[in-house]
Amino acid sequence: MGEGKDNVASLMGTKRLADAVRHAKIAAAQRADVVVDIREADRARLEILAEELQPLIDELPPGDELFDFTISGGMHPRLWIDGTANVIMARDRRTYRLVRETRLGRVTLVESADTRVMAEHVTEYVAERIVERDKAFALSDGLNERVSENASRQVRHGEDAPLRQPDKRARGADFVIAATWMTIGIVIGAALLLAIASYQGMSIG
């Protein structure tokens, strides 16, 4: 009789455990469904932002490896802008958050629930990154050296030109002086001839 009670108690305990396991599985499935729904909702909002950014993407040079603009999967979808910056959804699932991954951790740059406003912030970030890249490239493209060299050549040519100009002016001045002295000589010679002729009583004409 005691063995029967023990068997009944054992069966009831097993049933309660089975029920608990079944309820746990159902709760886990429901939580998984919630997680999937949240992930899909985040991805949908990021796709809307990506569509808003399409004109910006079209303006970038083809094959530009600096920017990405792809949506990654996982528990928390992200819209990657470049290798460090990406847009994620905040905890309220409505606010866009532009963040940047650094060595010191994640830095939030800006937040907005408006898709257009966030697109404008992303556009400004892209513009600043392009300027930074151009500045970094300017240090190693050799353009500074070429411009300086050309300027130095122009300066050297400009210094040589005035040295040749005084020669022309000197030659012109010498010609005027020579012509002046020649005129003076002719006048003096004519005066001497007139004086000699007058002295000898000769008439000229």
Side-chain angles (χ1 to χ4, degrees):
M1 190 67 180
E3 292 180 358
K5 291 182 179 180
D6 292 339
N7 292 334
V8 172
S10 177
L11 291 174
M12 291 179 64
T14 303
K15 185 177 181 181
R16 287 195 298 268
L17 179 59
D19 291 341
V21 171
R22 181 171 60 84
H23 288 304
K25 289 182 178 180
I26 293 174
Q30 290 176 348
R31 288 194 297 269
D33 291 340
V34 171
V35 171
V36 171
D37 292 341
I38 292 175
R39 184 170 63 246
E40 293 301 325
D42 289 351
R43 186 177 185 89
R45 289 185 178 275
L46 293 176
E47 289 176 351
I48 293 174
L49 177 60
E51 293 177 358
E52 190 72 24
L53 291 170
Q54 191 59 46
L56 169 64
I57 299 174
D58 295 338
E59 291 181 4
L60 293 174
D64 194 332
E65 298 180 354
L66 179 61
F67 303 104
D68 194 2
F69 292 103
T70 58
I71 299 177
S72 62
M75 294 295 296
H76 302 285
R78 303 182 184 184
L79 173 59
W80 287 94
I81 308 304
D82 56 18
T84 59
N86 59 87
V87 179
I88 59 177
M89 300 306 301
R91 292 183 178 180
D92 61 1
R93 308 302 172 189
R94 294 179 302 175
T95 302
Y96 295 100
R97 180 177 294 170
L98 176 60
V99 300
R100 197 173 189 188
E101 310 294 339
T102 67
R103 294 181 178 179
L104 301 178
R106 179 178 297 173
V107 178
T108 300
L109 302 181
V110 67
E111 292 182 350
S112 177
D114 192 324
T115 305
R116 293 184 178 180
V117 173
M118 178 54 64
E120 292 177 358
H121 288 304
V122 173
T123 303
E124 293 174 357
Y125 172 81
V126 170
E128 292 179 359
R129 291 286 285 131
I130 292 175
V131 172
E132 290 178 0
R133 179 178 61 180
D134 292 343
K135 289 181 179 180
F137 183 71
L139 296 176
S140 59
D141 61 357
L143 180 61
N144 298 336
E145 291 76 7
R146 292 194 297 271
V147 172
S148 299
E149 184 178 355
N150 293 335
S152 299
R153 290 178 180 175
Q154 292 178 359
V155 170
R156 287 195 297 269
H157 291 316
E159 291 175 353
D160 294 341
L163 295 177
R164 291 192 295 268
Q165 290 177 358
D167 296 339
K168 297 179 179 179
R169 294 180 181 178
R171 288 195 297 269
D174 293 341
F175 176 79
V176 172
I177 293 173
T180 302
W181 282 109
M182 182 180 294
T183 302
I184 294 173
I186 293 173
V187 172
I188 294 175
L192 289 175
L193 290 176
L194 183 58
I196 293 171
S198 299
Y199 179 77
Q200 294 179 353
M202 298 176 61
S203 62
I204 301 176

